[in-house]
Amino acid sequence: MTARGARRGRRTPAAWVLPLLVLVTLASIAALYVRGDLNPILCDGPCGPQYVTPPEGLATQSPDPDEAAAVGSGPIDGRELAAAVAGPLRSEALGGRTSLVAVDARDGKVLVDEGDGAQIPASTTKLLTAVAVLDAWGPDARFTTSVVRDGGRLVLVGGGDPYLTDAKSKGSSVERADLATLAGATAKKVGRGPVTLGYDVSLFEGPEVSPAWEDGYVGSVVAPVSPLWIDRGRVGAGRSTDPAADAARRFAELLRARGVEVTGEPTETRASGATIATVRSAPLSRIVEQFLADSDNEVAEVLLRQAAIKAGQPGSFAGGAKVVSQVLSEAGVDTAGLVINDGSGLSRKNRISARTLAETMAEVSSRPRLGSILSGLPVGGFSGTLEDRYVRSGQARGLVRAKTGTLTGVHALSGVVTLSGGRPVAFALMSDDTKDVNPFVTQAALDRVVAAMADCACGA
């Protein structure tokens, strides 16, 4: 071989650098995909579970067929369960008034009944709100925000979409209708104008603020309840005191930005005329999942009114409370002592027994129509308000799905804990006399009770 031929046979740096770069690039893309960094591109936000690669520690192997056939079928020994929680329930950190009711979620059999009557439920009230609205509307319902035109007048009509937002944003875990899209559709219909703008909030009735709320809540921890708002009435770190007017003013700005001449300031009115543009909310199932995961007070109050309206009651605090009681009673849930003043649980005048909450969760477990309540509940050690809890609680990690409830001196948990063999127990644990105890200490004491249930063999 000549020297020239030898040089032709030797690979130059460029010949191997390019394949190496391709391999590095592909490996980087694969790593980003597994970590979820490509979700906003691939899925326009968080990807669904079918697109998620589970961490190695959560990967499952094919179960033994005999074991799989037996999952969830074994009985639960109530005496053993009561014995397992007896010690943790005696903790002084739980204060002077504690209730625990646990029922077999498969058949409603009461396993533990350490109830102490109706207590302050805090945000576990949201479970009843979710049941009522899903029972009334069904999981596929959507809520519509619309624009009605009557000559030179436009009216923005609030349809009770709790997650209506200013502009469409990527990465949201729940689909959200937005005013910018609605303004674009409206501008195409009306041209340059001029037009005046009104807003209609007649869907809801009664007071916008519960008389049972503490002074100072409105504007700091909750907005006045309205069928029309953007971003749940939030303004910076606080809340709007007139969310409907704020939404209408923002809609006027969006119309002007699209070339529509809007004269004057928006005013509250009643809509009449033809509907020219609409946007629709996410399905109710997704709304319920999100508001339970976030424990969102504003969304809860809107959903309470939506439940009332669909059931033929006034869209008010009182109408919603009546529907909650009716739905639970018709399902055979014990409602003794039930007092509901709102849908969020902010009211310290609310009263719900642990029996009511536990039986409600058993009902949720048995009805597919209510399934998004279970899928929306935080998971111990993994998500939502339970993300940092049960991390060191043995078998309880990943086996507890529950709604938390917290006010000053009040702590509650209600949901489903899974015992060995896949046996589900619906439970409610409430403690509302702990104002003199460090809240984190009380929280840990509650977690020990639930962990004791998860760790119980209980006849397996």
Side-chain angles (χ1 to χ4, degrees), residues 139-388:
D140 298 325
R142 295 175 184 259
F143 306 120
T144 301
T145 305
S146 59
V147 176
V148 170
R149 182 178 185 178
D150 184 5
R153 185 182 75 152
L154 301 179
V155 180
L156 177 62
V157 183
D161 176 358
Y163 282 117
L164 182 70
T165 191
D166 182 355
K168 191 176 293 295
S169 60
K170 292 185 178 181
S172 173
S173 54
V174 61
E175 175 187 351
R176 304 193 180 192
D178 65 283
L179 282 187
T181 298
L182 186 60
T186 302
K188 291 179 181 179
K189 294 289 187 178
V190 302
R192 300 188 61 85
V195 296
T196 60
L197 179 63
Y199 59 96
D200 186 338
V201 291
S202 60
L203 181 67
F204 293 170
E205 301 180 31
E208 299 174 329
V209 175
S210 173
W213 285 347
E214 301 278 317
D215 292 339
Y217 274 3
V218 176
S220 58
V221 299
V222 69
V225 187
S226 173
L228 174 65
W229 59 27
I230 50 175
D231 303 319
R232 292 158 291 153
R234 282 160 169 74
V235 179
R239 266 73 167 177
S240 169
T241 56
D242 194 350
D246 287 346
R249 282 191 287 268
R250 179 56 180 155
F251 188 62
E253 293 174 359
L254 290 167
L255 287 174
R256 292 183 181 116
R258 287 157 177 76
V260 180
E261 181 184 351
V262 182
T263 62
E265 284 291 306
T267 57
E268 184 176 345
T269 186
R270 288 292 186 100
S272 62
T275 299
I276 61 170
T278 61
V279 289
R280 296 204 306 159
S281 74
L284 180 57
S285 58
R286 292 293 295 118
I287 292 173
V288 166
E289 287 177 337
Q290 191 64 41
F291 107 94
L292 287 176
D294 295 340
S295 196
D296 194 290
N297 296 318
E298 282 89 3
V299 175
E301 300 304 347
V302 170
L303 295 183
L304 182 72
R305 283 161 170 72
Q306 291 285 20
I309 291 166
K310 188 65 172 178
Q313 296 294 325
S316 62
F317 288 107
K322 184 175 183 179
V323 171
V324 167
S325 181
Q326 288 176 342
V327 169
L328 295 181
S329 295
E330 290 170 2
V333 172
D334 186 337
T335 58
L338 181 66
V339 178
I340 297 293
N341 290 285
D342 60 21
S344 61
L346 284 175
S347 173
R348 299 182 71 90
K349 296 181 180 179
N350 287 354
R351 294 293 184 272
I352 305 175
S353 71
R355 184 71 171 259
T356 296
L357 285 170
E359 290 185 358
T360 295
M361 288 313 304
E363 178 71 9
V364 166
S365 300
S366 68
R367 291 181 59 190
R369 188 179 181 89
L370 308 179
S372 55
I373 296 175
L374 280 180
S375 56
L377 288 179
V379 180
F382 285 97
S383 64
T385 52
L386 294 182
E387 181 177 4
D388 298 324

Side-chain angles (χ1 to χ4, degrees), residues 83-169:
V85 299
L89 278 175
R90 288 195 293 269
S91 171
E92 293 183 357
L94 295 176
R97 188 172 144 87
T98 302
S99 293
L100 170 65
V101 174
V103 304
D104 191 324
R106 300 166 299 182
D107 58 14
K109 177 185 177 182
V110 177
L111 302 169
V112 177
D113 189 354
E114 297 291 338
D116 196 12
Q119 297 181 233
I120 302 173
S123 280
T124 56
T125 304
K126 293 181 175 74
L127 292 170
L128 307 192
T129 301
V131 168
V133 73
L134 282 169
D135 182 85
W137 285 92
D140 298 325
R142 295 175 184 259
F143 306 120
T144 301
T145 305
S146 59
V147 176
V148 170
R149 182 178 185 178
D150 184 5
R153 185 182 75 152
L154 301 179
V155 180
L156 177 62
V157 183
D161 176 358
Y163 282 117
L164 182 70
T165 191
D166 182 355
K168 191 176 293 295
S169 60

